[in-house]
């Protein structure tokens, strides 16, 4: 039988028997048990009543968290000329065209968000098998294929979070850091849940939002009452 450290044992004991609690109680519980030596990310996972294999049940979107993510987001931009200069001035970490494509093809991916101007998509399209599985492929539906490079870079740097349902119908994301105040985490959680609620696809049948769980990077998860997470 595996032996757990004192911190893990204590966290499991604190979470035992608690489920479908209010978002306020969940945040307090997660914060008080985030005792790692680094500032843990507070994560949310939503189990949705969808099958993303069907086009009319795909859940995808973007939301700007009111209090940011607490994470430094590295942004890559595919652009040329004035738009490349605009991206650099806006704070993009990597800017390029064919040279950036070759870097990515070599296996070097040193960014968390990828943005492209429309004219760059023939180049970016060659990277679908690399960027797609990592949820990094630029997409006009979530504002990462755009001529407004400045706004896209600033949004990515300023707390914007992308989400996409995985095969099992689960959407997850980081919604802040354990060092955030409880109020800020609660606001971020409700903003994220609201965005996923609004992204409900036409093909979804039955209960759409089935389970909401919150955890820290190194801690156990706790389920939150759906009506509390949505603020209803």
């Amino acid at each position: 039988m595996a032996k757990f450290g004192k911190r893990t044992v204590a966290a499991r004991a604190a979470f035992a028997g608690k489920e479908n609690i209010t978002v306020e109680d969940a945040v307090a519980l997660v914060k008080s048990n985030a005792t790692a030596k680094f500032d843990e990310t507070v994560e949310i996972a939503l189990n949705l009543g969808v099958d993303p294999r069907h086009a009319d049940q795909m859940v995808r979107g973007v939301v700007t968290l009111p209090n940011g993510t607490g994470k430094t987001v590295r942004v890559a931009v595919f652009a040329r000329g004035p738009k490349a200069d605009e991206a650099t001035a806006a704070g993009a970490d990597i800017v390029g065209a064919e040279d950036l494509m070759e870097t990515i093809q070599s296996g070097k991916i040193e960014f968390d968000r990828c943005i492209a101007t429309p004219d760059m998509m023939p180049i970016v399209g060659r990277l679908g098998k690399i960027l797609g599985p990592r949820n990094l492929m630029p997409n006009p539906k979530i504002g990462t294929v755009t001529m407004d490079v400045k706004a896209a870079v600033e949004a990515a740097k300023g707390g914007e979070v992308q989400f996409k349902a995985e095969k099992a119908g689960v959407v997850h994301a980081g919604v802040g850091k354990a060092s955030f105040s409880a109020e800020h985490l609660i606001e971020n959680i409700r903003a994220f849940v609201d965005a996923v609620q609004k992204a409900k696809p036409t093909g979804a049948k039955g209960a759409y939002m089935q389970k909401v769980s919150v955890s820290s990077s190194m801690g156990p998860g706790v389920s939150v009452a759906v009506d509390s997470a949505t603020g209803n």
Side-chain angles (χ1 to χ4, degrees):
M1 180 180 287
K3 291 185 178 180
F4 299 104
K6 290 181 180 179
R7 190 179 67 82
T8 302
V9 170
R12 290 192 171 198
F15 280 68
K18 294 182 173 68
E19 56 183 53
N20 289 325
I21 61 179
T22 67
V23 68
E24 290 83 2
D25 287 345
V27 166
L29 187 61
V30 168
K31 277 177 62 65
S32 64
N33 285 278
T35 56
K37 293 181 179 179
F38 62 94
D39 193 5
E40 296 182 52
T41 296
V42 175
E43 302 169 351
I44 189 169
L46 308 179
N47 292 65
L48 306 176
V50 298
D51 184 348
R53 292 175 297 180
H54 301 288
D56 66 346
Q57 293 187 50
M58 170 51 69
V59 178
R60 183 171 194 166
V62 62
V63 57
T64 298
L65 299 180
N67 303 296
T69 63
K71 178 183 177 182
T72 299
V73 178
R74 300 167 299 172
V75 179
V77 177
F78 280 91
R80 286 195 178 97
K83 287 297 173 182
D85 295 338
E86 182 182 320
T88 300
D93 299 273
I94 308 167
V95 182
E98 286 85 359
D99 56 334
L100 178 52
M101 177 188 72
E102 292 170 2
T103 298
I104 294 170
Q105 287 176 329
S106 74
K108 193 175 182 182
I109 301 175
E110 298 181 331
F111 53 88
D112 310 296
R113 184 73 58 86
C114 188
I115 295 164
T117 53
D119 58 301
M120 290 286 101
M121 288 311 292
I123 294 174
V124 180
R126 302 179 204 175
L127 301 169
K129 290 184 179 179
I130 300 173
L131 298 180
R134 294 173 171 82
N135 201 25
L136 290 171
M137 192 69 180
N139 188 314
K141 292 182 179 179
I142 54 175
T144 48
V145 177
T146 177
M147 288 300 289
D148 195 348
V149 173
K150 180 177 183 291
V153 171
E154 290 176 348
K157 292 279 188 179
E160 187 178 78
V161 174
Q162 296 178 2
F163 58 86
K164 182 180 179 181
E166 299 174 348
K167 289 181 180 179
V170 176
V171 170
H172 63 84
V175 289
K177 293 289 185 178
S179 60
F180 281 21
S181 70
E183 292 75 13
H184 283 179
L185 284 171
I186 291 166
E187 287 177 0
N188 280 359
I189 288 169
R190 286 185 169 146
F192 185 83
V193 172
D194 182 57
V196 175
Q197 185 72 53
K198 289 178 179 176
K200 181 178 179 179
T202 56
K205 295 179 176 62
Y208 172 56
M209 199 162 291
Q210 299 181 341
K211 185 178 179 182
V212 180
S213 299
V214 178
S215 65
S216 64
S217 302
M218 304 297 290
V222 61
S223 61
V224 179
V226 174
D227 59 350
S228 178
T230 58
N232 295 330

